[in-house]
Amino acid sequence: MSDENIEKEACLTDLPGIGPTTAAKLEEAGYDDLMAIAVMNPADLSTIADITEATARKAVNAARKLLRLEFEDATEYLKKRQEVIKITTGSSNLNQLLGGGVETRGMTEAYGAFGSGKSQLAHQLAVNVQLPLEKGGANAKSAWIDTEGTFRPERIKQMSDALGLDYEKTLKNIFVARAFNSDHQVLLVEKIKDLIKNGEPIKLVIVDSITAHFRAEFTGRGQLADRQQRINKHIHALIRLAEAYNIAIYITNQVMSDPAMMFGDPTRAIGGHILGHGSTYRMYFRKGKKDSRVAKMVDSPNLPESECIFFILEKGLSDEE
Ligand code: ADP
Ligand code: MG
């Protein structure tokens, strides 16, 4: 049985010690499926759900059993790793920086100033994910949560034309939703889950940008903790989606270009370390010499901190000018 099937069949109340009231409490806190419970530590679960630690431990273990997250033999492990697809960015420099491309079962974040290329990469990935595997795609569709109204069908046309793809088809394979506020943005992740459950072969989810609404809505200093917590929950929901359905998540995060306007390290994304913690791959984009873009890998668990150069052309992302 695949992860998907288990998720459809079992729910929180199937776990020992978790009744409807406790389940509702957990759902309210953003822990709404078995995977979320399976990866928790029992002490946290005990606090959040207001149950004893012994009960929490039993529930976590049961969730792990149901999802078969206990030890698995190495062939199973290999199979999961082999399922990971690396989607090409169109620039082999950038692919190399990312260890091959934007990975499924993980989250890739680009942060940087306005105009640094974050949304351009989003457009390119939405096109490239549709390519066959041997061309660096996943033969699949994408879902795009647009928070700032920066999705451009014309840009998709330029990129799909350059790859010799049928523009109408390419556009049909991108589900776009404009998120009107942060609550709506969070809700849209659930809608993507519904699309997948209805059989849509989605292998890429884009959130451009992840932070804008949260930043606009939670402005006071006293609201910072609340803002972080909500972003954190949203990110965890996205990561769970990536793991349950072998999907690549690409998120963008805008930071100010003028270091004098920022407190502290200008290369730190707003969203702070919580966002850094959740991301599998985190890149910092900036403008370089002669219209180039510089991407720097930061905070990756398995890749070195390094930099590369790429260009944004009419045909899309490229190594050359
Ligand atoms: P952000 O990081 O703010 O999301 P974008 O990804 O939208 O920035 O990048 C915008 C930049 O991309 C523009 O300033 C321009 O340099 C480049 N760009 C956008 N469209 C094209 C195009 N059709 N041809 C060449 N370059 C383009
Ligand atoms: Mg943008």
Side-chain angles (χ1 to χ4, degrees), residues 134-162:
E134 64 274 15
K135 290 197 168 157
N139 197 16
K141 304 187 182 185
S142 61
W144 184 313
I145 300 177
D146 182 7
T147 72
E148 295 170 309
T150 46
F151 174 74
R152 290 284 174 278
E154 311 87 87
R155 198 62 186 116
I156 299 294
K157 177 163 173 44
Q158 292 173 335
M159 291 174 176
S160 71
D161 284 353

Side-chain angles (χ1 to χ4, degrees), residues 118-119 148 150 208 254:
K118 305 179 296 293
S119 297
E148 295 170 309
T150 46
D208 184 23
Q254 190 153 308

Side-chain angles (χ1 to χ4, degrees), residues 44-117:
D44 289 347
L45 178 59
S46 154
T47 309
I48 291 165
D50 200 13
I51 52 179
T52 69
E53 205 166 317
T55 308
R57 180 159 294 119
K58 274 183 201 150
V60 168
N61 285 339
R64 286 178 185 169
K65 276 228 169 66
L66 275 167
L67 292 174
R68 302 187 187 166
L69 291 184
E70 301 286 286
F71 279 106
E72 52 190 15
D73 69 49
T75 54
E76 276 299 310
Y77 182 82
L78 182 66
K79 215 175 90 199
K80 257 190 194 160
R81 276 309 297 173
Q82 281 172 341
E83 272 172 20
V84 169
I85 301 166
K86 297 183 182 192
I87 305 162
T88 180
T89 62
S91 151
S92 55
N93 289 344
L94 200 52
N95 288 347
Q96 205 179 354
L97 189 84
L98 284 162
V102 170
E103 274 191 18
T104 59
R105 230 182 260 288
M107 178 179 273
T108 301
E109 174 194 350
Y111 71 100
F114 176 77
S116 58

Side-chain angles (χ1 to χ4, degrees), residues 28-43:
E28 172 73 14
Y31 301 89
D32 56 1
D33 56 24
L34 290 185
M35 181 59 86
I37 306 301
V39 300
M40 280 183 98
N41 81 54

Side-chain angles (χ1 to χ4, degrees), residues 40-254:
M40 280 183 98
N41 81 54
D44 289 347
L45 178 59
S46 154
T47 309
I48 291 165
D50 200 13
I51 52 179
T52 69
E53 205 166 317
T55 308
R57 180 159 294 119
K58 274 183 201 150
V60 168
N61 285 339
R64 286 178 185 169
K65 276 228 169 66
L66 275 167
L67 292 174
R68 302 187 187 166
L69 291 184
E70 301 286 286
F71 279 106
E72 52 190 15
D73 69 49
T75 54
E76 276 299 310
Y77 182 82
L78 182 66
K79 215 175 90 199
K80 257 190 194 160
R81 276 309 297 173
Q82 281 172 341
E83 272 172 20
V84 169
I85 301 166
K86 297 183 182 192
I87 305 162
T88 180
T89 62
S91 151
S92 55
N93 289 344
L94 200 52
N95 288 347
Q96 205 179 354
L97 189 84
L98 284 162
V102 170
E103 274 191 18
T104 59
R105 230 182 260 288
M107 178 179 273
T108 301
E109 174 194 350
Y111 71 100
F114 176 77
S116 58
K118 305 179 296 293
S119 297
Q120 293 303 311
L121 176 55
H123 285 84
Q124 189 73 69
L125 290 170
V127 173
N128 289 2
V129 72
Q130 304 185 34
L131 294 168
L133 281 169
E134 64 274 15
K135 290 197 168 157
N139 197 16
K141 304 187 182 185
S142 61
W144 184 313
I145 300 177
D146 182 7
T147 72
E148 295 170 309
T150 46
F151 174 74
R152 290 284 174 278
E154 311 87 87
R155 198 62 186 116
I156 299 294
K157 177 163 173 44
Q158 292 173 335
M159 291 174 176
S160 71
D161 284 353
L163 288 167
L165 300 173
D166 177 337
Y167 165 56
E168 300 280 328
K169 266 193 210 151
T170 307
L171 213 51
K172 270 213 167 69
N173 288 338
I174 307 172
F175 296 99
V176 189
R178 180 77 200 265
F180 294 104
N181 55 42
S182 66
D183 284 336
H184 186 208
Q185 183 177 332
V186 167
L187 182 75
L188 285 171
V189 179
E190 294 306 310
K191 298 286 166 204
I192 293 172
K193 223 188 252 175
D194 292 342
L195 286 174
I196 296 165
K197 286 181 177 171
N198 286 335
E200 292 293 354
I202 292 172
K203 285 288 159 207
L204 169 70
V205 170
I206 291 161
V207 188
D208 184 23
S209 92
I210 189 107
T211 40
H213 280 316
F214 291 94
R215 233 187 287 168
E217 291 164 30
F218 299 84
T219 49
R221 277 206 166 264
Q223 290 178 297
L224 256 173
D226 195 18
R227 178 173 90 188
Q228 289 299 45
Q229 201 180 11
R230 281 173 202 241
I231 293 179
N232 196 15
K233 249 168 73 175
H234 181 44
I235 285 183
H236 278 113
L238 288 165
I239 289 175
R240 288 204 295 276
L241 196 68
E243 285 173 352
Y245 301 104
N246 190 27
I247 285 173
I249 311 282
Y250 172 66
I251 63 173
T252 71
N253 188 5
Q254 190 153 308

